[in-house]
Structures are given as structure tokens and as C-alpha cells.
Amino acid sequence: MNGLETRRRPTRIILWAALAAVLVLYGFPFVYLLLTSFKTPLDAIAVPPQVLPSQWTLDNYVAALSKEGVVPALINSVATAVLSTAFSLALGVPAAYAITRFRTPSGRIFVVAALVTRMVPTIAVGAPLVETMRRLGISDTTIGLAIAHTTISLPLSIWLMSSFFEAVPIELEEAAKVDGSDRLQAFRHVVLPVVSGGLAVTAIFAFLASWNEFLFALLLTSVRAQTTPIVIANFQTQFGLDWGGMTALSAVYSVPVILLTLALQRHIVAGLTLGAVKG
Amino acid sequence: MKLRSTSGRLRTAMAGIAVATSLILAIAGCGAGGSSAGPAGKLTVLVEGGGKAELQPIADLYQKQTGTTVELVELPYDGLYDRIQTELGSGKTSFDVAALDAIWLSAFSAGVSPLDDLFTDDVKRDLFPGLVTEAQVGGSYVGMPVWTNSEILYYRTDLFGDPKEKAAFQAKYGYPLVPPTTWKQYQDVAQFFTRDTNGDGQTDLYGTDVKGAVETEWLATVSQTGEKTMVLDPKSGDVTIDDADHLAALNFYTSLLPYAPPGAAQLDWAGSQNLFYQGKLAMMRFWGHAYTQTPANAAVKGKIGVAPMIAGPGGIAGVPGAWYLSVPKATDKQAEAKKFVAFAYEHNDLSIKTSLGLVSRISAFESQAGVAGHENYPAILTTLKSPATIARPATSKWQQIVTSVLTPMLQKAVVKGADNAALLKQAKAQIQAIVK
């Protein structure tokens, strides 16, 4: 046993070193962003760049959060992302369930067609969407933007939920039917609880897709429904880039996503595991 | 039992989501950014983030005097271009006026209304010649200048005013140390100040910078030669970038490399500005607006002087960095939009008090002559009024030429041993392929 442990130790060291390298690779940009948000304007654009602030300051946060339009944009981002997630789940979950349970040729075409929409460049649908939203009278509204974002997240939701429903044995539903449930009741009381981890994963992906989306927000909003990614981008102007303000607002904007991920971490892991094993 | 408990939690969660969604739906009809005044009595103006402050006092006064709400929609620089392009392409616009960068005028000229009736002789007399030229695309005036910028010369007053430095410079070069006005003087002063100040064997003060990652400063140098056809003639399609003047400009530009910090190929505006603020440059050529924006903790705070851009054989020259107000053809509010554009010109001086303090009318610049805090105005004024200052070519391909030809060419030119003539010939072929 000890000999086995000794033989494994170098492998473990290599694995840990590789893991640490990957963590640094992924984590450093965000850490640098956080540190920059506490720098003075001069430190922020120092040549060569310096990692730690020479003087720590909260001025960037005060300036960024007191900038006109920042708070409404944060509210808009939350509202848009929640709405889009709700739309995406409301449409994607039944669609995925029907596709996996009924297995019709049209269902198979539908699921492939849904994926094709992910292959179309967002800008290609941007211009028609601008016109469509205007005709519908929902330009520059949160609901209009949420609908646009749903076009991005829905295909992914259908595909994700399909894989989760695939993993649920049909016998579970049949047992529920034997106990007197109809299909809808079996779906609500048996299938949905089993795939709750998958729902969490799908929800967080849909939420993130909307939360970080830039192009539709740029094209479809003006003042009333403008979301935070546009406001963050506004820190880069023709006259320069306000690194402090931009990084401060970016840090603030990251907090809800980090909290959401931590809160749903258990479901996400469970959901990913469920989706990885076919029944 | 466990199943039922999970189902119960799910039901509770779904109910919570439903309530939250209902609340959000209630506010989703408009969004949290405030309500708009409705289509009547309202003008929507698209503006780049940095320019919003310039227009705000004008918009406020317009609303006060006319009762028409002016909604300034702030968008990031690249986003503004995409948004305008998308909307003009769709034939319907959500905006009534747009602030356009000078280099976009040609690309958008087909989608905006002519403003010829606004360009009276009096108006043209009060605008810099380069701006009047630039505003005209295809025989029509397509934008009214709303603010303009230009590179000017920044220098360290503590160095230039030091008696020891003055004496040493006089002894070495045979003329007094003053802010340079010519290429030769600029080279001399740059050479003079490039040194190791702390005796560690490393150069820590440079006379100037050389920017390889942005093209405008080299274009200003091209104008300083007296060149009248910068890069290409949009009308004939002739590409002039390999002529003698362009080569002379590139040779002068790269001749400063020994007196500039290493890494010129990657140096852009922000990097240059930082080097100057850190006290590592004795001189810098930079946009005029920055004079009022020196950070409090900059090593050179309170030690900065400004002068007009330097002159080459053709005279003083910069590149006008103007923005224009244009009216899309697709807006239904043509008359009201043009009225606002005329109003913005009329009250151009209101932008003097903004954070950037940039205006477009000569009279607005001249009104601040001798006013403390506006020392940059005479420098901008002299640079933009100079006959050698010319606008960038009015071609819809300009942005593409800059990103795919000019900047890469400069980045190669600032590398030691570069063959400037060969690089310009190569650039000519690339530009010809773009504009053919």
C-alpha cells in the first residue's frame, strides 16, 4: 500500500501542478480585474502593468455606481435575465420532454433545427429583430430584450433538458400512471423532481446567456431597457478607457453570477452527473 | 416520501419563480431606465459615451426653450457604429439625430439627409477649413461639426524652464531651449532629454514617444510635409501613400525611435499618456482635450505646458478629430431634427464648460483666449487653422484601411532596420486592393 502511494505521489504532484496552472490561467484575469478596480487612474494604466495597487482606493466603485444609468441598468439586467430564463424554461422543458418521450421524425428534425439557430451569427438576426420589435411596439423594453435573449438560450435549453429527460427511466412515469396519475401529473410530480438538477443547470446557462449578452442589448435598447454590459462598454470612449470605473462595475456585475453559481453548485454537479449517465 | 418532499420543494420554488416573474413582467413593459416622453415632442440623439457630456448642456437648453425633450442615448464607440449601420440598413431608425465620428461620414452618407441649407457662408467662416471639407460627401454637407479635437504638443515645464537645462541645450545645439516648432527642433530636444537620470546605466527619461499601434499621429506628420492627398484620393481612387511626402513623414516618424521608450510597436494613446504622466517623457504629441484631465497623482501634475503641433516642411499640421451631428433620412422628424442640429451649432459654446471642454466653432475656441485652464485652446486653434492641416480621406473603406493596412504598416516601420519605402509600396498595393 505504501509502495503504491509512493508510486502515485509524482503523478499526484504533476496533476496538482497542472490543476494549479489551469486555475491561474482561468482565475488570473478576474483577479487582475478585481485588483484594478482598487487602483488609482495612474496605477490602472501603468507601463509596464503592475498587479497590485500602489495605493488602494474605493473611488472607482463610488464613481461607477454613482454614474447616471448604472443602477437602472443593473435592475434591467436582473429583470431581463430572469424573464429570459423563465421563457427559456417554460418553452424548453416541455419541448425537450416531448422530443425525448414521443421520438417522432418531426421531433428529431426539430431538435436539429433548434441547434442550427445557434450556428447563425447573432448579428444576422439582429437587424430583422430590430424591425420586428419596433413593429410589435416593444423596442427598448425589458420584455422585448428578454424575448430576443430567449432565442439564444432556448436551443441550448432544449438540448440540455433533452439529455436530462433521456436519463429518466420511462418506468418511473409508468409506475406513476399505475398509481393513478395522468401524464401531466406524472410529469409534474415524478419527472420534474428527478431532473431538478438539470433544471438548475439549464436555468443557470439561460441566465448567464442573457446576463452577459451584448449585441442584442446594443441593438434593441436605448435608455429604458439598457443593460449593464452596454454601460460597462461605455467606459471605453473615443477619449480613452476608464479602467477603474470599468473594472469596478464589472466586479459588481460579477457578484450575482458568482452567488448564483455557489447557491446552485450542488444542483449543477448533480445535474451534470445525471446528464452524463444514460438510463 | 422523499419524492414527495422533493416535489414539494420544487412546487414552492416554481411558485416563487412565478411570483418573481410576475413582478418582473410588471416592470418589463418599460424597463428601469426611466420613462420616455413619447414620440411627440421628443428627439432621440445617439451619441458615443465620451461625447454625451458635450451635448448634455445643449440638449438641456433646447428642452428648456422649445419644450422638446432631447433623449441622449449613450453607446460605446464600436457599438454606436454597429447600431447606426444596422438601423440605417433596415430603413427605419429609432433615433432622429446621430453624432458621427468624422471617419464614418462617408460610410453613412447615403443614409443621412443633406444639411446644405445650414452651411451658410457665416457658418463656414466660423468652422475650421478641414472640418468644412470633411463634412461634405458627394457634393452635400452630411454633418454639422459639434466638437473637434486635434493633437497638440505637450511638454514638461519643469524641464524646459530649468536654467541648467536651458544653458546645456544652448551650449550643445546653439539655440535656446523652447517648445519645438519644427521637425529639426523636435529631434534635437528629444535627443537632448533622452538620458539616464539616476546613474544606474538605464535610460529612464526619454525625449518623446513613438506610437506604433495608432495611425493618426503619423497621418499628422504626413500633413506636416505639405501633402494634400493623404493616403489616397477618394475621387480618382489614386493611392498616394508611397509618394515622397509620405516617405519623408515615415522617415521622420521613425527617426525618433532612439529617443523613445522601447516597445513602440505596441504603444497606443493610453500607453503614451501614461508614460508622460509617470514623468518618463519630456514631450508628447497628444489630443488637446487631455490637458484638463491630468490625474491628481501624476508625477507631472502642474508641470505641463502645451503648444501647437510641430511643423514639417509644409507647416504646422494635425489631424482634425471632429464629430458631426447628422440626421437620418429615415426619421419622420426631419424638420425638428435639423432644428436641433442648427441649435447645437448656435450654442456650441455651452460645451466649453463640460468635462472635455471641446467645441467646434472657431469663435468658441477664440472666446477662451487667455482664460486660465484653457491654455490648450490656442494650441488646438493654431493647429486646426493651419493650411497644412487636412482631413482624412472621405472613403467608406477608411476604417478597413486603418485596421488592415496603416496600423500594421506602422508597427513594422517602428522595428529597427525596417525598409520604409518598401513598406509604403506594400501598403499601396493593399489599399488599391481594398478600394478597387
Side-chain angles (χ1 to χ4, degrees):
Chain A
M1 189 68 181
N2 280 343
L4 189 65
E5 280 293 312
T6 311
R7 280 200 301 278
R8 280 181 178 171
R9 190 170 295 159
T11 315
R12 281 192 179 175
I13 290 170
I14 292 168
L15 281 173
W16 278 107
L19 186 65
V22 170
L23 268 178
V24 168
L25 200 67
Y26 274 85
F28 181 74
F30 186 70
V31 172
Y32 191 77
L33 178 143
L34 275 182
L35 290 170
T36 304
S37 70
F38 295 107
K39 289 177 185 171
T40 60
L42 209 57
D43 281 353
I45 55 167
V47 180
Q50 55 187 60
V51 176
L52 291 174
S54 62
Q55 183 188 338
W56 294 76
T57 178
L58 288 172
D59 288 354
N60 296 322
Y61 285 89
V62 175
L65 292 173
S66 57
K67 191 173 186 270
E68 187 191 350
V70 165
V71 174
L74 282 169
I75 296 169
N76 285 337
S77 288
V78 172
T80 306
V82 171
L83 262 183
S84 173
T85 305
F87 291 161
S88 191
L89 289 181
L91 296 169
V93 171
Y97 178 77
I99 288 163
T100 52
R101 286 294 180 261
F102 295 106
R103 296 182 183 281
T104 60
S106 57
R108 278 193 288 276
I109 293 169
F110 175 78
V111 80
V112 172
L115 196 64
V116 167
T117 62
R118 296 280 298 175
M119 299 172 191
V120 178
T122 316
I123 188 70
V125 289
L129 262 179
V130 168
E131 185 56 22
T132 307
M133 296 296 176
R134 187 177 297 120
R135 282 175 186 272
L136 291 172
I138 52 173
S139 287
D140 197 20
T141 63
T142 301
I143 199 161
L145 184 59
I147 290 169
H149 285 176
T150 307
T151 65
I152 298 171
S153 58
L154 187 57
L156 187 66
S157 298
I158 292 172
W159 270 84
L160 273 174
M161 286 311 301
S162 293
S163 69
F164 291 120
F165 284 130
E166 290 274 8
V168 180
I170 191 82
E171 290 80 7
L172 269 180
E173 283 178 75
E174 286 169 353
K177 283 179 192 167
V178 169
D179 287 345
S181 298
D182 59 21
R183 181 180 286 278
L184 198 58
Q185 286 170 322
F187 175 70
R188 276 183 57 201
H189 299 297
V190 177
V191 180
L192 276 187
V194 171
V195 296
S196 61
L199 282 173
V201 174
T202 308
I204 198 163
F205 276 112
F207 188 88
L208 286 177
S210 173
W211 189 253
N212 295 324
E213 202 280 331
F214 181 82
L215 192 60
F216 283 162
L218 174 75
L219 297 176
L220 298 173
T221 68
S222 292
V223 174
R224 294 177 299 165
Q226 201 168 66
T227 52
T228 308
I230 306 297
V231 178
I232 291 173
N234 273 334
F235 284 100
Q236 168 139 41
T237 73
Q238 55 180 306
F239 302 107
L241 173 55
D242 177 2
W243 282 101
M246 192 183 76
T247 52
L249 187 55
S250 299
V252 169
Y253 196 57
S254 305
V255 171
V257 176
I258 293 169
L259 292 179
L260 188 69
T261 308
L262 289 176
L264 296 176
Q265 192 179 25
R266 190 169 56 85
H267 289 287
I268 292 168
V269 173
L272 288 172
T273 313
L274 179 70
V277 182
K278 279 202 163 190
Chain B
M1 186 66 185
K2 189 168 188 279
L3 200 64
R4 190 169 298 155
S5 150
T6 310
S7 174
R9 280 205 303 275
L10 185 73
R11 197 162 44 239
T12 309
M14 288 181 80
I17 290 169
V19 171
T21 305
S22 305
L23 281 172
I24 287 163
L25 273 169
I27 64 164
C30 58
S35 61
S36 68
K42 188 187 116 182
L43 282 175
T44 302
V45 180
L46 284 192
V47 61
E48 192 262 350
K52 187 184 176 188
E54 298 297 291
L55 275 177
Q56 193 65 61
I58 296 168
D60 292 344
L61 185 66
Y62 188 79
Q63 185 171 345
K64 194 175 169 186
Q65 289 193 359
T66 65
T68 300
T69 304
V70 179
E71 191 171 62
L72 299 177
V73 178
E74 189 182 15
L75 293 174
Y77 183 85
D78 291 334
L80 179 63
Y81 182 90
D82 293 340
R83 173 77 172 260
I84 294 170
Q85 189 180 41
T86 302
E87 294 205 23
L88 290 183
S90 76
K92 286 262 184 179
T93 57
S94 64
F95 58 92
D96 309 301
V97 178
L100 303 183
D101 190 347
I103 60 172
W104 301 344
L105 283 176
S106 300
F108 295 143
S109 60
V112 299
S113 301
L115 301 174
D116 295 339
D117 48 332
L118 298 184
F119 278 78
T120 61
D121 288 342
D122 282 345
V123 167
K124 283 190 265 191
R125 263 194 298 274
D126 204 14
L127 292 171
F128 298 103
L131 272 58
V132 176
T133 307
E134 201 167 48
Q136 202 171 23
V137 181
S140 288
Y141 291 100
V142 295
M144 175 62 78
V146 64
W147 67 84
T148 189
N149 210 342
S150 166
E151 271 193 277
I152 55 174
L153 175 67
Y154 288 73
Y155 62 91
R156 296 261 305 271
T157 52
D158 56 330
L159 296 176
F160 278 75
D162 185 337
K164 283 183 190 168
E165 301 286 5
K166 284 181 164 186
F169 186 87
Q170 175 83 42
K172 186 172 180 182
Y173 296 96
Y175 64 94
L177 174 63
V178 288
T181 57
T182 66
W183 282 5
K184 178 71 174 71
Q185 287 177 7
Y186 195 81
Q187 280 171 323
D188 287 348
V189 177
Q191 182 190 48
F192 176 71
F193 280 117
T194 302
R195 61 180 75 155
D196 168 18
T197 60
N198 57 11
D200 66 353
Q202 302 290 318
T203 302
D204 48 31
L205 176 65
Y206 294 90
T208 183
D209 65 328
V210 175
K211 303 174 188 79
V214 285
E215 83 296 347
T216 320
E217 193 160 296
W218 176 64
L219 294 175
T221 314
V222 170
S223 299
Q224 288 157 15
T225 65
E227 171 70 70
K228 291 298 170 200
T229 311
M230 184 193 285
V231 179
L232 80 157
D233 180 351
K235 285 179 187 161
S236 67
D238 291 342
V239 180
T240 57
I241 196 168
D242 67 337
D243 70 14
D245 284 338
H246 285 80
L247 180 59
L250 193 55
N251 286 341
F252 168 70
Y253 199 74
T254 53
S255 74
L256 299 170
L257 283 167
Y259 322 125
Q266 300 306 321
L267 193 70
D268 60 6
W269 300 113
S272 164
Q273 204 174 10
N274 183 259
L275 287 166
F276 187 73
Y277 288 154
Q278 287 180 334
K280 292 179 179 172
L281 304 179
M283 300 182 291
M284 168 181 76
R285 292 154 293 172
F286 202 82
W287 296 101
H289 74 275
Y291 178 69
T292 56
Q293 299 187 325
T294 310
N297 60 341
V300 296
K301 178 78 175 174
K303 303 170 188 170
I304 299 175
V306 282
M309 196 64 163
I310 53 173
I316 290 172
V319 169
W323 281 70
Y324 296 80
L325 290 182
S326 295
V327 177
K329 283 177 180 167
T331 179
D332 298 332
K333 301 173 190 170
Q334 290 289 320
E336 187 75 25
K338 285 181 185 174
K339 189 177 159 191
F340 175 74
V341 173
F343 187 89
Y345 170 81
E346 202 60 40
H347 295 86
N348 187 242
D349 58 340
L350 288 174
S351 298
I352 290 171
K353 302 288 182 199
T354 62
S355 54
L356 294 168
L358 289 175
V359 289
S360 63
R361 292 176 62 173
I362 293 171
S363 58
F365 276 107
E366 287 175 340
S367 72
Q368 300 302 299
V371 177
H374 287 290
E375 290 81 1
N376 53 341
Y377 274 29
I380 296 173
L381 195 63
T382 305
T383 304
L384 289 175
K385 273 179 130 177
S386 171
T389 293
I390 55 172
R392 285 162 284 188
T395 166
S396 58
K397 303 287 178 68
W398 183 248
Q399 193 69 58
Q400 189 184 351
I401 291 170
V402 167
T403 51
S404 61
V405 182
L406 297 186
T407 308
M409 185 272 292
L410 267 184
Q411 288 185 310
K412 288 175 192 163
V414 296
V415 173
K416 200 176 176 183
D419 182 343
N420 288 344
L423 286 172
L424 291 174
K425 282 202 185 314
Q426 189 185 4
K428 179 179 185 174
Q430 291 171 325
I431 294 169
Q432 282 172 330
I434 290 172
V435 298
K436 71 177 179 187

